[in-house]
Amino acid sequence: MKLLIASGNKYKIYEFKVLFEKYKDIEVVSLADLDDHDEVEENGTTFSENAFIKAKYFYDKYKIITISDDSGICVPSLNNEPGIYSSRYSGHGDEANNDLLLKNVEGKDRTAFYECDICFYDGTEPQFFIGKCYGTLGYERKGVNGFGYDPLFIYEGKTFAEVDLETKNKVSHRALALKEFIKYFENKYSL
Ligand code: IMP
């Protein structure tokens, strides 16, 4: 069976593929494997809506059962911003996004959570799986691993950029959402 991961983000693809390694009968392909660089407009108003928009677009294109995720970091003291705008927060990439978040959270409560909504779509009813991971925002970047806001996001005393992927994969928003998805997937296909 083939499963398409509708993402071109190499970090996300790696995180997904590691979690699927044990299923020898499932061939996991990503948009990178298909050399597909289509940009799908994420014009939903929630993570789930955006995940569905992407899953449907690529399912319709390839007719391969598809999972897609939309994720981001939410800061309750900033009305849950950057939220769905996480990747485009500053308009100038990860470094500028981190700078802007540090500036905006100055003097405010630094509680933050990552959210990941996964959509599974096989041409029938879409299924959604949601994972959240709570932490706080540091005052400066720490660590070199991960991507996006990881150098700022502190979970149990260390930023996600200071821990290895194996550690992040045990607790991350994406891992939690994937765990729920895998339960559903195993049940659906009697794996
Ligand atoms: P997406 O690719 O549209 O889901 O956007 C996700 C954006 O949210 C990324 O560009 C990052 O800015 C942020 N983000 C989501 N998950 C993570 C994570 O695990 N670490 C760091 N940043 C993340």
Side-chain angles (χ1 to χ4, degrees):
M1 184 197 308
K2 251 191 194 177
L3 177 67
L4 174 63
I5 296 175
S7 177
N9 176 324
K10 64 178 179 185
Y11 298 99
K12 283 189 188 178
I13 294 167
Y14 183 66
E15 288 186 25
F16 278 123
K17 283 196 171 176
V18 166
L19 289 160
F20 276 100
E21 257 166 7
K22 64 177 181 170
Y23 304 104
K24 301 294 174 215
D25 294 338
I26 298 171
E27 186 192 346
V28 177
V29 287
S30 70
L31 294 180
D33 299 324
L34 297 172
D35 203 23
D36 190 318
H37 303 282
D38 285 3
E39 291 280 339
V40 182
E41 197 190 350
E42 296 178 20
N43 53 11
T45 57
T46 62
F47 292 117
S48 285
E49 276 178 31
N50 282 339
F52 175 61
I53 289 168
K54 284 182 277 187
K56 180 167 177 6
Y57 177 90
F58 290 105
Y59 174 83
D60 288 346
K61 182 168 180 182
Y62 293 106
K63 295 288 182 290
I64 300 173
I65 58 171
T66 299
I67 56 170
S68 156
D69 84 321
D70 197 45
S71 55
I73 194 163
C74 304
V75 181
S77 65
L78 299 176
N79 294 322
N80 283 344
E81 284 183 8
I84 58 168
Y85 302 105
S86 291
S87 61
R88 7 168 196 162
Y89 193 37
S90 66
H92 299 287
D94 281 353
E95 288 303 316
N97 288 345
N98 281 324
D99 286 337
L100 182 60
L101 188 55
L102 280 175
K103 183 169 159 270
N104 287 346
V105 81
E106 240 173 55
K108 305 218 164 93
D109 184 82
R110 302 181 84 88
T111 303
F113 63 91
Y114 275 128
E115 176 166 338
C116 172
D117 292 15
I118 288 179
C119 176
F120 169 79
Y121 188 60
D122 63 359
T124 63
E125 193 63 23
Q127 304 291 326
F128 296 94
F129 308 90
I130 297 171
K132 290 185 186 182
C133 176
Y134 279 85
T136 54
L137 294 174
Y139 289 86
E140 58 184 9
R141 295 164 169 79
K142 280 193 183 154
V144 295
N145 299 331
F147 68 102
Y149 297 90
D150 284 346
L152 293 184
F153 184 79
I154 300 172
Y155 180 86
E156 292 187 347
K158 281 191 178 159
T159 71
F160 265 0
E162 290 181 295
V163 299
D164 56 27
L165 184 58
E166 206 188 326
T167 307
K168 180 178 170 183
N169 259 348
K170 286 193 185 122
V171 296
S172 82
H173 48 314
R174 194 162 301 103
L176 296 176
L178 261 174
K179 221 174 170 176
E180 290 305 306
F181 163 68
I182 282 171
K183 260 195 244 161
Y184 166 84
F185 194 68
E186 282 183 339
N187 190 37
K188 182 174 173 83
Y189 295 104
S190 308
L191 296 171

PDB file of all heavy atoms in Angstrom, residues 19-44:
ATOM      1  N   LEU A  19       8.545   7.339  11.825  1.00  0.00           N
ATOM      2  CA  LEU A  19       7.423   6.725  12.541  1.00  0.00           C
ATOM      3  C   LEU A  19       6.751   5.611  11.740  1.00  0.00           C
ATOM      4  O   LEU A  19       6.075   4.764  12.305  1.00  0.00           O
ATOM      5  CB  LEU A  19       6.396   7.791  12.936  1.00  0.00           C
ATOM      6  CG  LEU A  19       6.872   8.717  14.047  1.00  0.00           C
ATOM      7  CD1 LEU A  19       6.079  10.007  14.076  1.00  0.00           C
ATOM      8  CD2 LEU A  19       6.775   8.043  15.406  1.00  0.00           C
ATOM      9  N   PHE A  20       6.949   5.603  10.430  1.00  0.00           N
ATOM     10  CA  PHE A  20       6.321   4.577   9.594  1.00  0.00           C
ATOM     11  C   PHE A  20       7.239   3.413   9.247  1.00  0.00           C
ATOM     12  O   PHE A  20       6.812   2.459   8.605  1.00  0.00           O
ATOM     13  CB  PHE A  20       5.787   5.195   8.294  1.00  0.00           C
ATOM     14  CG  PHE A  20       4.426   5.798   8.457  1.00  0.00           C
ATOM     15  CD1 PHE A  20       4.276   7.158   8.626  1.00  0.00           C
ATOM     16  CD2 PHE A  20       3.297   4.990   8.467  1.00  0.00           C
ATOM     17  CE1 PHE A  20       3.022   7.713   8.804  1.00  0.00           C
ATOM     18  CE2 PHE A  20       2.041   5.527   8.640  1.00  0.00           C
ATOM     19  CZ  PHE A  20       1.902   6.900   8.806  1.00  0.00           C
ATOM     20  N   GLU A  21       8.510   3.534   9.696  1.00  0.00           N
ATOM     21  CA  GLU A  21       9.506   2.527   9.307  1.00  0.00           C
ATOM     22  C   GLU A  21       9.075   1.097   9.592  1.00  0.00           C
ATOM     23  O   GLU A  21       9.355   0.183   8.828  1.00  0.00           O
ATOM     24  CB  GLU A  21      10.826   2.798  10.030  1.00  0.00           C
ATOM     25  CG  GLU A  21      11.860   3.451   9.140  1.00  0.00           C
ATOM     26  CD  GLU A  21      13.012   4.007   9.936  1.00  0.00           C
ATOM     27  OE1 GLU A  21      13.093   3.772  11.159  1.00  0.00           O
ATOM     28  OE2 GLU A  21      13.847   4.694   9.319  1.00  0.00           O
ATOM     29  N   LYS A  22       8.374   0.902  10.715  1.00  0.00           N
ATOM     30  CA  LYS A  22       8.061  -0.476  11.125  1.00  0.00           C
ATOM     31  C   LYS A  22       6.994  -1.154  10.249  1.00  0.00           C
ATOM     32  O   LYS A  22       6.835  -2.364  10.306  1.00  0.00           O
ATOM     33  CB  LYS A  22       7.652  -0.522  12.593  1.00  0.00           C
ATOM     34  CG  LYS A  22       6.387   0.225  12.921  1.00  0.00           C
ATOM     35  CD  LYS A  22       6.059   0.035  14.401  1.00  0.00           C
ATOM     36  CE  LYS A  22       4.787   0.758  14.756  1.00  0.00           C
ATOM     37  NZ  LYS A  22       4.240   0.516  16.017  1.00  0.00           N
ATOM     38  N   TYR A  23       6.275  -0.376   9.450  1.00  0.00           N
ATOM     39  CA  TYR A  23       5.241  -0.992   8.606  1.00  0.00           C
ATOM     40  C   TYR A  23       5.840  -1.329   7.239  1.00  0.00           C
ATOM     41  O   TYR A  23       5.888  -0.485   6.341  1.00  0.00           O
ATOM     42  CB  TYR A  23       4.040  -0.052   8.439  1.00  0.00           C
ATOM     43  CG  TYR A  23       3.454   0.373   9.751  1.00  0.00           C
ATOM     44  CD1 TYR A  23       3.694   1.648  10.247  1.00  0.00           C
ATOM     45  CD2 TYR A  23       2.685  -0.503  10.513  1.00  0.00           C
ATOM     46  CE1 TYR A  23       3.177   2.045  11.464  1.00  0.00           C
ATOM     47  CE2 TYR A  23       2.167  -0.115  11.729  1.00  0.00           C
ATOM     48  CZ  TYR A  23       2.414   1.164  12.203  1.00  0.00           C
ATOM     49  OH  TYR A  23       1.913   1.555  13.404  1.00  0.00           O
ATOM     50  N   LYS A  24       6.326  -2.555   7.124  1.00  0.00           N
ATOM     51  CA  LYS A  24       7.079  -2.933   5.920  1.00  0.00           C
ATOM     52  C   LYS A  24       6.211  -2.958   4.668  1.00  0.00           C
ATOM     53  O   LYS A  24       6.703  -2.834   3.561  1.00  0.00           O
ATOM     54  CB  LYS A  24       7.749  -4.312   6.116  1.00  0.00           C
ATOM     55  CG  LYS A  24       8.716  -4.343   7.300  1.00  0.00           C
ATOM     56  CD  LYS A  24       9.938  -3.441   7.072  1.00  0.00           C
ATOM     57  CE  LYS A  24      10.832  -3.358   8.316  1.00  0.00           C
ATOM     58  NZ  LYS A  24      11.461  -2.069   8.514  1.00  0.00           N
ATOM     59  N   ASP A  25       4.887  -3.124   4.834  1.00  0.00           N
ATOM     60  CA  ASP A  25       4.011  -3.208   3.661  1.00  0.00           C
ATOM     61  C   ASP A  25       3.534  -1.843   3.174  1.00  0.00           C
ATOM     62  O   ASP A  25       2.786  -1.765   2.208  1.00  0.00           O
ATOM     63  CB  ASP A  25       2.764  -4.047   3.978  1.00  0.00           C
ATOM     64  CG  ASP A  25       3.147  -5.490   4.231  1.00  0.00           C
ATOM     65  OD1 ASP A  25       4.228  -5.882   3.759  1.00  0.00           O
ATOM     66  OD2 ASP A  25       2.369  -6.195   4.909  1.00  0.00           O
ATOM     67  N   ILE A  26       3.942  -0.808   3.891  1.00  0.00           N
ATOM     68  CA  ILE A  26       3.471   0.519   3.495  1.00  0.00           C
ATOM     69  C   ILE A  26       4.620   1.309   2.872  1.00  0.00           C
ATOM     70  O   ILE A  26       5.657   1.517   3.507  1.00  0.00           O
ATOM     71  CB  ILE A  26       2.882   1.282   4.692  1.00  0.00           C
ATOM     72  CG1 ILE A  26       1.675   0.499   5.204  1.00  0.00           C
ATOM     73  CG2 ILE A  26       2.487   2.697   4.294  1.00  0.00           C
ATOM     74  CD1 ILE A  26       1.139   1.002   6.496  1.00  0.00           C
ATOM     75  N   GLU A  27       4.400   1.683   1.639  1.00  0.00           N
ATOM     76  CA  GLU A  27       5.417   2.498   0.971  1.00  0.00           C
ATOM     77  C   GLU A  27       5.041   3.962   1.166  1.00  0.00           C
ATOM     78  O   GLU A  27       3.995   4.410   0.701  1.00  0.00           O
ATOM     79  CB  GLU A  27       5.443   2.148  -0.524  1.00  0.00           C
ATOM     80  CG  GLU A  27       6.556   2.842  -1.267  1.00  0.00           C
ATOM     81  CD  GLU A  27       6.393   2.715  -2.786  1.00  0.00           C
ATOM     82  OE1 GLU A  27       5.579   1.881  -3.231  1.00  0.00           O
ATOM     83  OE2 GLU A  27       7.051   3.473  -3.506  1.00  0.00           O
ATOM     84  N   VAL A  28       5.894   4.664   1.889  1.00  0.00           N
ATOM     85  CA  VAL A  28       5.604   6.061   2.161  1.00  0.00           C
ATOM     86  C   VAL A  28       6.315   6.933   1.128  1.00  0.00           C
ATOM     87  O   VAL A  28       7.519   6.834   0.954  1.00  0.00           O
ATOM     88  CB  VAL A  28       6.081   6.436   3.589  1.00  0.00           C
ATOM     89  CG1 VAL A  28       5.866   7.913   3.866  1.00  0.00           C
ATOM     90  CG2 VAL A  28       5.337   5.599   4.626  1.00  0.00           C
ATOM     91  N   VAL A  29       5.529   7.721   0.420  1.00  0.00           N
ATOM     92  CA  VAL A  29       6.145   8.641  -0.540  1.00  0.00           C
ATOM     93  C   VAL A  29       5.795  10.074  -0.149  1.00  0.00           C
ATOM     94  O   VAL A  29       4.728  10.337   0.400  1.00  0.00           O
ATOM     95  CB  VAL A  29       5.679   8.398  -2.003  1.00  0.00           C
ATOM     96  CG1 VAL A  29       6.277   7.156  -2.584  1.00  0.00           C
ATOM     97  CG2 VAL A  29       4.166   8.373  -2.111  1.00  0.00           C
ATOM     98  N   SER A  30       6.720  10.961  -0.428  1.00  0.00           N
ATOM     99  CA  SER A  30       6.481  12.368  -0.088  1.00  0.00           C
ATOM    100  C   SER A  30       6.451  13.182  -1.378  1.00  0.00           C
ATOM    101  O   SER A  30       6.789  12.682  -2.454  1.00  0.00           O
ATOM    102  CB  SER A  30       7.605  12.883   0.797  1.00  0.00           C
ATOM    103  OG  SER A  30       8.785  12.984   0.032  1.00  0.00           O
ATOM    104  N   LEU A  31       6.074  14.441  -1.247  1.00  0.00           N
ATOM    105  CA  LEU A  31       6.082  15.311  -2.430  1.00  0.00           C
ATOM    106  C   LEU A  31       7.496  15.479  -2.957  1.00  0.00           C
ATOM    107  O   LEU A  31       7.717  15.638  -4.153  1.00  0.00           O
ATOM    108  CB  LEU A  31       5.483  16.677  -2.085  1.00  0.00           C
ATOM    109  CG  LEU A  31       4.002  16.669  -1.726  1.00  0.00           C
ATOM    110  CD1 LEU A  31       3.534  18.081  -1.395  1.00  0.00           C
ATOM    111  CD2 LEU A  31       3.166  16.091  -2.864  1.00  0.00           C
ATOM    112  N   ALA A  32       8.477  15.400  -2.044  1.00  0.00           N
ATOM    113  CA  ALA A  32       9.877  15.501  -2.482  1.00  0.00           C
ATOM    114  C   ALA A  32      10.218  14.303  -3.365  1.00  0.00           C
ATOM    115  O   ALA A  32      10.850  14.454  -4.414  1.00  0.00           O
ATOM    116  CB  ALA A  32      10.795  15.567  -1.268  1.00  0.00           C
ATOM    117  N   ASP A  33       9.767  13.096  -2.958  1.00  0.00           N
ATOM    118  CA  ASP A  33      10.026  11.899  -3.775  1.00  0.00           C
ATOM    119  C   ASP A  33       9.396  12.035  -5.160  1.00  0.00           C
ATOM    120  O   ASP A  33       9.894  11.500  -6.140  1.00  0.00           O
ATOM    121  CB  ASP A  33       9.447  10.628  -3.113  1.00  0.00           C
ATOM    122  CG  ASP A  33      10.064  10.371  -1.756  1.00  0.00           C
ATOM    123  OD1 ASP A  33      11.268  10.647  -1.597  1.00  0.00           O
ATOM    124  OD2 ASP A  33       9.346   9.894  -0.847  1.00  0.00           O
ATOM    125  N   LEU A  34       8.241  12.709  -5.215  1.00  0.00           N
ATOM    126  CA  LEU A  34       7.523  12.848  -6.498  1.00  0.00           C
ATOM    127  C   LEU A  34       7.997  14.073  -7.277  1.00  0.00           C
ATOM    128  O   LEU A  34       7.489  14.362  -8.357  1.00  0.00           O
ATOM    129  CB  LEU A  34       6.007  12.962  -6.232  1.00  0.00           C
ATOM    130  CG  LEU A  34       5.348  11.750  -5.577  1.00  0.00           C
ATOM    131  CD1 LEU A  34       3.906  12.070  -5.184  1.00  0.00           C
ATOM    132  CD2 LEU A  34       5.374  10.545  -6.510  1.00  0.00           C
ATOM    133  N   ASP A  35       8.954  14.793  -6.672  1.00  0.00           N
ATOM    134  CA  ASP A  35       9.465  16.015  -7.289  1.00  0.00           C
ATOM    135  C   ASP A  35       8.324  16.989  -7.606  1.00  0.00           C
ATOM    136  O   ASP A  35       8.309  17.630  -8.652  1.00  0.00           O
ATOM    137  CB  ASP A  35      10.259  15.665  -8.568  1.00  0.00           C
ATOM    138  CG  ASP A  35      11.245  16.779  -8.905  1.00  0.00           C
ATOM    139  OD1 ASP A  35      11.615  17.537  -7.989  1.00  0.00           O
ATOM    140  OD2 ASP A  35      11.621  16.894 -10.097  1.00  0.00           O
ATOM    141  N   ASP A  36       7.372  17.032  -6.695  1.00  0.00           N
ATOM    142  CA  ASP A  36       6.196  17.884  -6.871  1.00  0.00           C
ATOM    143  C   ASP A  36       6.374  19.150  -6.044  1.00  0.00           C
ATOM    144  O   ASP A  36       6.509  19.082  -4.818  1.00  0.00           O
ATOM    145  CB  ASP A  36       4.932  17.119  -6.419  1.00  0.00           C
ATOM    146  CG  ASP A  36       3.660  17.853  -6.799  1.00  0.00           C
ATOM    147  OD1 ASP A  36       3.620  19.080  -6.645  1.00  0.00           O
ATOM    148  OD2 ASP A  36       2.714  17.182  -7.258  1.00  0.00           O
ATOM    149  N   HIS A  37       6.391  20.278  -6.719  1.00  0.00           N
ATOM    150  CA  HIS A  37       6.595  21.541  -6.005  1.00  0.00           C
ATOM    151  C   HIS A  37       5.364  22.437  -6.070  1.00  0.00           C
ATOM    152  O   HIS A  37       5.467  23.652  -5.901  1.00  0.00           O
ATOM    153  CB  HIS A  37       7.822  22.274  -6.572  1.00  0.00           C
ATOM    154  CG  HIS A  37       9.065  21.435  -6.507  1.00  0.00           C
ATOM    155  ND1 HIS A  37       9.775  21.275  -5.329  1.00  0.00           N
ATOM    156  CD2 HIS A  37       9.689  20.683  -7.435  1.00  0.00           C
ATOM    157  CE1 HIS A  37      10.792  20.454  -5.556  1.00  0.00           C
ATOM    158  NE2 HIS A  37      10.769  20.073  -6.824  1.00  0.00           N
ATOM    159  N   ASP A  38       4.207  21.839  -6.330  1.00  0.00           N
ATOM    160  CA  ASP A  38       2.982  22.639  -6.383  1.00  0.00           C
ATOM    161  C   ASP A  38       2.790  23.401  -5.068  1.00  0.00           C
ATOM    162  O   ASP A  38       2.954  22.834  -3.990  1.00  0.00           O
ATOM    163  CB  ASP A  38       1.747  21.731  -6.575  1.00  0.00           C
ATOM    164  CG  ASP A  38       1.643  21.228  -8.005  1.00  0.00           C
ATOM    165  OD1 ASP A  38       2.543  21.532  -8.802  1.00  0.00           O
ATOM    166  OD2 ASP A  38       0.655  20.525  -8.300  1.00  0.00           O
ATOM    167  N   GLU A  39       2.460  24.655  -5.187  1.00  0.00           N
ATOM    168  CA  GLU A  39       2.145  25.457  -4.001  1.00  0.00           C
ATOM    169  C   GLU A  39       0.626  25.496  -3.860  1.00  0.00           C
ATOM    170  O   GLU A  39      -0.055  25.997  -4.755  1.00  0.00           O
ATOM    171  CB  GLU A  39       2.647  26.899  -4.166  1.00  0.00           C
ATOM    172  CG  GLU A  39       4.157  27.053  -4.163  1.00  0.00           C
ATOM    173  CD  GLU A  39       4.735  27.023  -2.753  1.00  0.00           C
ATOM    174  OE1 GLU A  39       3.986  27.288  -1.796  1.00  0.00           O
ATOM    175  OE2 GLU A  39       5.943  26.700  -2.646  1.00  0.00           O
ATOM    176  N   VAL A  40       0.110  24.952  -2.781  1.00  0.00           N
ATOM    177  CA  VAL A  40      -1.340  24.963  -2.591  1.00  0.00           C
ATOM    178  C   VAL A  40      -1.669  26.136  -1.669  1.00  0.00           C
ATOM    179  O   VAL A  40      -1.043  26.281  -0.614  1.00  0.00           O
ATOM    180  CB  VAL A  40      -1.817  23.645  -1.947  1.00  0.00           C
ATOM    181  CG1 VAL A  40      -3.327  23.645  -1.790  1.00  0.00           C
ATOM    182  CG2 VAL A  40      -1.366  22.464  -2.792  1.00  0.00           C
ATOM    183  N   GLU A  41      -2.619  26.948  -2.078  1.00  0.00           N
ATOM    184  CA  GLU A  41      -2.968  28.098  -1.248  1.00  0.00           C
ATOM    185  C   GLU A  41      -3.666  27.631   0.027  1.00  0.00           C
ATOM    186  O   GLU A  41      -4.728  26.994  -0.043  1.00  0.00           O
ATOM    187  CB  GLU A  41      -3.873  29.061  -2.025  1.00  0.00           C
ATOM    188  CG  GLU A  41      -3.926  30.416  -1.375  1.00  0.00           C
ATOM    189  CD  GLU A  41      -4.986  31.339  -1.955  1.00  0.00           C
ATOM    190  OE1 GLU A  41      -5.569  30.989  -3.010  1.00  0.00           O
ATOM    191  OE2 GLU A  41      -5.261  32.374  -1.338  1.00  0.00           O
ATOM    192  N   GLU A  42      -3.053  27.932   1.168  1.00  0.00           N
ATOM    193  CA  GLU A  42      -3.638  27.517   2.453  1.00  0.00           C
ATOM    194  C   GLU A  42      -4.532  28.651   2.937  1.00  0.00           C
ATOM    195  O   GLU A  42      -4.127  29.461   3.751  1.00  0.00           O
ATOM    196  CB  GLU A  42      -2.528  27.220   3.464  1.00  0.00           C
ATOM    197  CG  GLU A  42      -1.673  26.050   3.051  1.00  0.00           C
ATOM    198  CD  GLU A  42      -0.532  25.773   4.027  1.00  0.00           C
ATOM    199  OE1 GLU A  42      -0.602  26.215   5.186  1.00  0.00           O
ATOM    200  OE2 GLU A  42       0.420  25.108   3.606  1.00  0.00           O
ATOM    201  N   ASN A  43      -5.759  28.670   2.418  1.00  0.00           N
ATOM    202  CA  ASN A  43      -6.622  29.800   2.775  1.00  0.00           C
ATOM    203  C   ASN A  43      -7.703  29.424   3.788  1.00  0.00           C
ATOM    204  O   ASN A  43      -8.720  30.087   3.891  1.00  0.00           O
ATOM    205  CB  ASN A  43      -7.217  30.451   1.517  1.00  0.00           C
ATOM    206  CG  ASN A  43      -7.919  29.417   0.644  1.00  0.00           C
ATOM    207  OD1 ASN A  43      -8.125  28.288   1.102  1.00  0.00           O
ATOM    208  ND2 ASN A  43      -8.295  29.779  -0.556  1.00  0.00           N
ATOM    209  N   GLY A  44      -7.459  28.353   4.541  1.00  0.00           N
ATOM    210  CA  GLY A  44      -8.381  27.984   5.612  1.00  0.00           C
ATOM    211  C   GLY A  44      -8.183  28.897   6.807  1.00  0.00           C
ATOM    212  O   GLY A  44      -7.239  29.700   6.849  1.00  0.00           O
TER     213      GLY A  44
END
